[in-house]
Amino acid sequence: MESALTKLHAQMLLERILAWSHCFPLQINSIQPTRNLLSVLRMTVLRISCLKLSQTKPTSMTISRSLSSLDSPLKLVLAHGLQNGSGMIEGHEDHFWGYMFYKSFTTLKLAVPRTDQEEIPLLSNEIIELARSLMQFSITHLGSVCTPRNFHLLAGLLRSKCVPIREVALHLAARIITRWSAGLSGTVPLTAPATYLFNLVTLSSMHIQLRADLQKRIQTEGHQRRLCFSTFVTTGIEFLSKFYHLEKKIIRRKNGLPARNTFLHKPLIKFATKDSLHVTWLASGKQAPMMYKLELADPLCGVPEHLLQFRVVHRGAHASALVNGLSPSRTYLFRVVIEDVSSELYSPHFLVSPIAALQTKKAPAFTFDHTRKGPAIKLSTNALGAIFEANETWATVLGSSPFMSQCNSWEFEIINSSSLFLFVGVASLEANLTTFLGGDEHSWGYIGDRALYHRRMKSRLYGERFGHGDTVGVILNMDYGSLSFSKNGMDLGVAFNGLIGELYPAVAFYNQGQHVALIEHAFKCPGAGEILASSPFSFNIDQACESFDLMSSMTDDLPLSDNSFRRLHNLRDLWLRGSARRVKTCFGFEVTISSHVDPSLHTANGQYVHTPRGNAFVLGSAFGLTWFDSGKNVGAYFYTSAAVRREISNGHFQIVPCSGNANNTTPSCRLHSGTEDDPPTQVRENLRKVLADKKMHHSVIREINEVTQSSKKTSWNIEPTLLLEHLRTPRADRNIKSFYEFAGTHVALVLLLNDDILRGFRYFIADLEHAFWYEGNPQSSPVSGNYISTSLFKFRNSILKETKHRLFQIFAEQTATKAKQAEDDYDYPDDLTQVVLNRFKASTALGTSQCKERLSLSLFGQLFSNLHLLCPRLLRMGYTHPMDDGQERTFKVKFEGEGVDDYGGPYREIFAQISNELQKTSQAPNNLLRCVLPLLLPANEPFKFVINPGLTSQSSNSTFEFLGKLMGVALRCKVALPLALPSSTWKIIVSQELVINDLLHMDNGAFAMISQLEQMLLCADNNACQSLMDMSGIKWTARLSGNSNLDLIETTGNTLAIGEIPAFVSALYKCRLRESETATWAIRKGLTSIIPKFAIPIFSWNEIETKVGGVPGVDINILQSNTEYDDGISPCDRHIQTFWEILHSFDDTEKSAFLRFVWARARLPNSSNLSQKFKIQVRVFRT
């Protein structure tokens, strides 16, 4: 219930906006649009408190700064909308929102051409965003807007050449479809005739065309290896997911089940291209529309048909589909499945067609890649030729298709080359394309001067010289891990062994005019275009839709779709039986492997056998492939069944002796009799209870995180018995006791969600700059972004810690700047910044009385002078010198006047000293405690600091932005920067909702006063409470940090009335928590210039605090487990054991001091497995 004061302020604000807009019509047209227009308009028409947009009073000056406007298309929308908005306070919403919808649609329709030649007016992003907001609120507040006519109006916007407008249309159309689905369920009135909906799902081709457009877009963006897909892709998937859900409901209402005499024929090709197939099929004897699924299997050579892993590439009532993103000259297996949609309960496939083998058109297996080439390389029109246009500099170009299995070969024709400085070979995606092949550890090259190169070293002389006019063949046998070459048809023998992973063909040029071409008839590449079912690149539109359904079920307590439930049921059984484990592969992703082994191997899981790549342990099988691990920390690799049978005849895969023993199995666990064999209906009921109990769900996630950290196992490999033992401990949550019965369902749900996020994160992180917001941020909007693009934000409490850290690692690696390669590995790159710092000058300056001098001469100030003008790209550099012992850095430190070489220690030390400088306190003249540097202020809570709200100038914002950059550098380099900031600051950084308890960490006095005021509201005697308030003299004023006062309303002379307590508490609470909002957003701006903006909100506020500042205290057990001992020293030696005993006896201050002395770090990184190890060396005696 809104207070009279809130209504009064809203009405006054509305009157000011109307008066201002009417009095200055010419000025309105001259103002440039800003993002604040949407906030002002939404605040007004939705009767939001005046204090929601700003912590200050809503004066005319605030309005004039905030109100933007008004390109001519939306001038009427604002003028008439606000006039109707005044009626909203009286309750007339329908007319307002109907008017807003049609006016906004008219605005967007201006950018839709009626003919191809028609000029398209450009609309600013602010205008599009405003129209989107108004139309979305119209759909939300007025159900009668969700009509077939409006749906087709939005569908017409899909012809726009403006991608943001198409995104708006898709997003709003999805909202209308959602409302129609709710209408079919009876929860809201149905605003569309049932006949129209039936024709929409059975006759309309809009979703088919949209799916084809999305497939092309995903293929293009995926080929570019983009970190995230565009918002058009995520919005389109949101629409398809909603459409499929509506389609299933419509078919169910029409009793869409096949008759008994229905027969599904094999799928047929309607037409084929080199990268797509148009597939059609026929169901004879059908009596009603049915839900079809077209499934595709990427056949790895030799995988039996019953072990093929099919993935959905089309679903719906249409009996044809266009499948894009295929490889040329390759056979794919298709089948059609009719879904049983008679109920929401789990049901297996109802009817399956025979499998059909369909082939794409013949074309080269790969070409040169336009997106993966060094500078000055020009490709021919068909991309089969490459010409180098620079001179005496190296550049590399990769092929378009990778190889990870089978024996593949291709040939190059050297059309022109003036020298022998030309490389052919293979490389991974991590290879440096501005150097020669073999110039790093990610490429292998054969130069025309008859030599082999790898890791920037000449391996050996090999083969013969080649050059102008020669034909060089490449034979890459991934089953053996070997690379061979040929010259003019003559085999030169094996050049390299031990190759593993996903490798691309490659050529490196040096001299101008060098010209190389692929020979079309020489391709023999059966391994081209292979995609493993568990790889991130196999995650397609339908799997993204399933993930969207899974997330919707978790938030809205809806039943899971059949596919999602089937996956959950299988994962639950595997976990309960202990018959699967998660392993990292050599291809860079993880795979869940079953303990079952191909019978043709005649071996068991865990045995040590001789493979073509060398001796390895048998791990198990997955996707019809047998997986092995050599134990050399390179990741698991696989062999197909055909390769196993072939190599057994060559003497491979025989059991060999092993000195060690691999424990590759996990013990099974039976929680209660028959748990593993519960019928699907029982599991479905358990799942319903699991989804309904959010508190238990979060408790389970917390326990899994704790067990993962203590056991040093991945969440997927935690044995059921180990988790249950942990739950029996006294510190386990009482709420977890009912977990015993639903253990498998709980764990399977968590693992399923995290697996989808790890594999499909590119679908879930688009446009998060707008999707992540918090109440009161003037730079963001809650209606920006779609459901999918906000998924990581919504589910961050359901994402496991190891998943978050893995995602962060991926984001950081893919956005890192590579340093230029120096001629000598021990020389520093030219683009690595060196900063010179004077610690003596900084120490002296901290004692001066001049605040500016203290700040500018401090280490923080000196570093600011050196780095704040640098391009953020240089601060994202991840360089490690051979002498740095694995320490990543973005700049090199030189301490002036000190004989210290920076091999990692000084670099880490500077972050620790800056942390101490910022939080060092002294006694002010008024006997209050203050920070020596003015950026922070001591909070009321001990050892906590708040951002100084008095620093609001542009220069202060630049300083805070630089502090955010330092936090980002610390995150990238895994260096601790401990900052004891309150929870409110960290919450704003990660876009987490603020709560009243956040005030306790920064001002316990204000928190106590608010608690007392809330208690007064419960008092029955209002007169006594009012007298008490009059005596206390509480007024509409807030005391900020630093003891400055701020008026909450214009008139502050009178004391607070009893009826004004709710409004005062709300205003005070928001004012205090956001007192340093500008500075905090400057910190966030600096942080997101170094760390991708979508990597921050996946963490909660306390997780990002720990990730930036490290874990408080020093865990000696973690330090001991990450210690390396020099030759001649053993951890069992008596003096070593005594050393650890003494360290255990230290308090936290002494442990931190010890760590900083020997390792230049005050805290350990936030991990139990440190990438940089602690070392104990033998004492060296000098003579």
Side-chain angles (χ1 to χ4, degrees), residues 833-1106:
T833 305
Q834 176 169 314
V835 297
V836 179
L837 304 175
N838 191 316
R839 292 200 288 183
F840 177 77
K841 186 184 295 184
S843 176
T844 304
L846 292 180
T848 64
S849 59
Q850 298 297 322
C851 181
K852 289 186 177 180
E853 185 178 352
R854 289 199 304 269
L855 181 59
S856 62
L857 295 181
S858 66
L859 287 178
F860 176 83
Q862 294 180 49
L863 203 61
F864 174 82
S865 300
N866 279 272
L867 300 178
H868 85 283
L869 293 179
L870 278 184
C871 175
R873 182 184 65 84
L874 295 177
L875 293 179
R876 291 196 295 267
M877 187 177 296
Y879 173 75
T880 303
H881 190 270
M883 298 291 291
D884 284 352
D885 194 26
Q887 175 63 62
E888 214 172 273
R889 64 167 72 242
T890 58
F891 54 86
K892 181 175 171 59
V893 175
K894 177 176 176 57
F895 289 135
E896 188 176 359
E898 301 181 44
V900 179
D901 291 326
D902 182 10
Y903 292 129
Y907 182 76
R908 292 189 296 269
E909 175 68 14
I910 195 64
F911 288 90
Q913 290 196 359
I914 285 177
S915 172
N916 290 340
E917 276 187 347
L918 292 173
Q919 299 169 125
K920 184 177 182 180
T921 59
S922 65
Q923 202 79 18
N926 56 2
N927 292 326
L928 293 177
L929 206 61
R930 69 175 183 183
C931 289
V932 175
L933 299 185
L935 301 184
L936 304 180
L937 295 173
N940 288 351
E941 183 178 350
F943 310 112
K944 284 287 183 182
F945 298 85
V946 297
I947 296 174
N948 189 344
L951 301 180
T952 57
S953 64
Q954 185 62 39
S955 60
S956 298
N957 285 341
S958 299
T959 306
F960 284 116
E961 184 177 338
F962 178 70
L963 177 59
K965 291 180 180 180
L966 282 185
M967 293 166 62
V969 171
L971 280 172
R972 278 189 173 276
C973 300
K974 301 180 180 63
V975 178
L977 181 64
L979 294 173
L981 301 176
S983 59
S984 57
T985 301
W986 296 110
K987 283 188 174 182
I988 293 176
I989 289 175
V990 301
S991 303
Q992 193 169 342
E993 182 182 2
L994 299 173
V995 296
I996 189 67
N997 286 340
D998 293 323
L999 186 58
L1000 181 62
H1001 297 295
M1002 55 186 300
D1003 192 344
N1004 47 21
F1007 181 81
M1009 183 182 69
I1010 289 177
S1011 301
Q1012 292 176 1
L1013 291 176
E1014 290 177 341
Q1015 289 294 325
M1016 288 183 181
L1017 290 178
L1018 303 177
C1019 180
D1021 190 350
N1022 289 341
N1023 293 329
C1025 290
Q1026 185 62 56
S1027 300
L1028 184 61
M1029 292 182 61
D1030 292 339
M1031 292 176 60
S1032 62
I1034 300 177
K1035 299 181 180 181
W1036 281 84
T1037 304
R1039 182 177 292 274
L1040 306 180
S1041 300
N1043 295 321
S1044 60
N1045 294 328
L1046 179 69
D1047 295 338
L1048 299 176
I1049 60 174
E1050 292 182 357
T1051 304
T1052 61
N1054 299 327
T1055 56
L1056 191 66
I1058 189 69
E1060 297 174 338
I1061 288 180
F1064 173 78
V1065 167
S1066 176
L1068 178 63
Y1069 151 69
K1070 293 176 182 178
C1071 173
R1072 290 305 316 275
L1073 291 182
R1074 296 171 184 164
E1075 63 180 15
S1076 304
E1077 188 177 52
T1078 303
T1080 305
W1081 276 96
I1083 292 175
R1084 188 180 188 276
K1085 180 181 178 182
L1087 176 62
T1088 54
S1089 69
I1090 308 301
I1091 302 297
K1093 56 191 175 186
F1094 37 70
I1096 303 302
I1098 63 175
F1099 297 98
S1100 62
W1101 73 266
N1102 47 357
E1103 289 173 339
I1104 198 68
E1105 180 186 24
T1106 303

Side-chain angles (χ1 to χ4, degrees), residues 386-684:
I387 303 176
F388 193 49
E389 298 181 332
N391 195 31
E392 295 187 355
T393 182
W394 287 108
T396 299
V397 59
L398 302 185
S400 59
S401 180
F403 298 94
M404 54 185 173
S405 72
Q406 307 186 59
C407 185
N408 308 276
S409 64
W410 57 92
E411 292 182 353
F412 296 105
E413 179 185 1
I414 304 174
I415 298 176
N416 183 39
S417 180
S418 60
S419 72
L420 299 178
F421 292 161
L422 182 71
F423 275 92
V424 295
V426 296
S428 68
L429 282 180
E430 291 76 23
N432 187 352
L433 301 183
T434 60
T435 186
F436 56 89
L437 277 180
D440 55 25
E441 66 271 25
H442 304 295
S443 61
W444 297 258
Y446 169 35
I447 193 173
D449 198 24
R450 61 183 299 260
L452 302 176
Y453 281 83
H454 178 54
R455 293 182 179 272
R456 209 171 179 79
M457 296 175 59
K458 181 178 179 179
S459 303
R460 61 185 174 94
L461 293 177
Y462 170 83
E464 299 181 359
R465 289 182 173 86
F466 65 84
H468 180 84
D470 288 329
T471 297
V472 179
V474 182
I475 305 96
L476 178 63
N477 191 336
M478 293 303 293
D479 287 343
Y480 277 73
S482 64
L483 179 63
S484 307
F485 298 95
S486 66
K487 175 186 174 184
N488 299 328
M490 182 180 69
D491 187 8
L492 301 178
V494 175
F496 295 99
N497 281 304
L499 277 67
I500 199 167
E502 196 176 51
L503 301 179
Y504 289 76
V507 176
F509 301 95
Y510 185 75
N511 292 115
Q512 186 176 14
Q514 288 179 325
H515 185 187
V516 171
L518 288 161
I519 301 177
E520 285 194 58
H521 62 78
F523 287 99
K524 296 179 182 178
C525 303
E530 290 180 338
I531 298 178
L532 292 182
S534 65
S535 72
F537 306 107
S538 69
F539 199 88
N540 58 11
I541 290 177
D542 290 279
Q543 289 174 314
C545 289
E546 287 182 13
S547 299
F548 178 73
D549 290 337
L550 174 65
M551 295 173 185
S552 300
S553 300
M554 294 180 66
T555 54
D556 303 329
D557 296 335
L558 298 175
L560 256 65
S561 65
D562 281 350
N563 288 330
S564 295
F565 181 76
R566 187 177 297 110
R567 294 166 58 214
L568 182 140
H569 190 270
N570 293 337
L571 184 58
R572 169 188 177 276
D573 288 348
L574 286 174
W575 185 77
L576 288 177
R577 297 178 188 276
S579 57
R581 65 192 301 259
R582 187 94 160 181
V583 299
K584 184 177 181 180
T585 69
C586 62
F587 308 108
F589 56 87
E590 295 181 341
V591 61
T592 302
I593 296 178
S594 170
S595 57
H596 172 76
V597 179
D598 188 345
S600 61
L601 266 178
H602 304 295
T603 59
N605 176 31
Q607 289 187 327
Y608 200 55
V609 299
H610 178 61
T611 75
R613 290 179 173 273
N615 297 340
F617 293 101
V618 181
L619 297 180
S621 62
F623 319 114
L625 309 169
T626 305
W627 292 80
F628 301 83
D629 184 10
S630 64
K632 299 178 181 178
N633 201 28
V634 296
Y637 58 91
F638 69 85
Y639 286 100
T640 65
S641 298
V644 168
R645 290 191 296 270
R646 181 182 67 247
E647 295 303 329
I648 284 179
S649 63
N650 294 333
H652 292 110
F653 298 107
Q654 304 299 317
I655 299 176
V656 295
C658 176
S659 57
N661 187 19
N663 182 16
N664 293 311
T665 60
T666 53
S668 61
C669 172
R670 189 177 294 270
L671 298 183
H672 61 80
S673 180
T675 299
E676 300 92 328
D677 303 316
D678 283 344
T681 52
Q682 180 61 44
V683 178
R684 175 78 76 169

Side-chain angles (χ1 to χ4, degrees), residues 324-378:
N324 293 311
L326 306 179
S327 298
S329 308
R330 189 168 180 82
T331 300
Y332 293 88
L333 303 183
F334 289 88
R335 71 180 183 187
V336 179
V337 177
I338 294 181
E339 286 188 283
D340 181 2
V341 296
S342 58
S343 70
E344 293 281 0
L345 296 179
Y346 168 83
S347 59
H349 289 155
F350 193 87
L351 189 62
V352 182
S353 75
I355 296 176
L358 308 179
Q359 188 174 18
T360 52
K361 279 192 173 181
K362 188 175 182 180
F366 64 88
T367 61
F368 288 119
D369 195 332
H370 290 275
T371 63
R372 302 188 187 106
K373 61 185 181 69
I377 297 177
K378 181 180 179 181

Side-chain angles (χ1 to χ4, degrees), residues 26-61:
L26 297 178
Q27 186 179 359
I28 290 179
N29 288 328
S30 64
I31 296 177
Q32 296 297 320
T34 65
R35 292 184 179 180
N36 291 337
L37 169 62
L38 186 59
S39 298
V40 173
L41 182 61
R42 183 172 65 250
M43 177 188 63
T44 305
V45 298
L46 293 181
R47 298 177 292 175
I48 297 176
S49 169
C50 61
L51 295 169
K52 186 169 187 177
L53 177 68
S54 173
Q55 64 189 33
T56 61
K57 53 191 177 182
T59 61
S60 300
M61 187 62 68

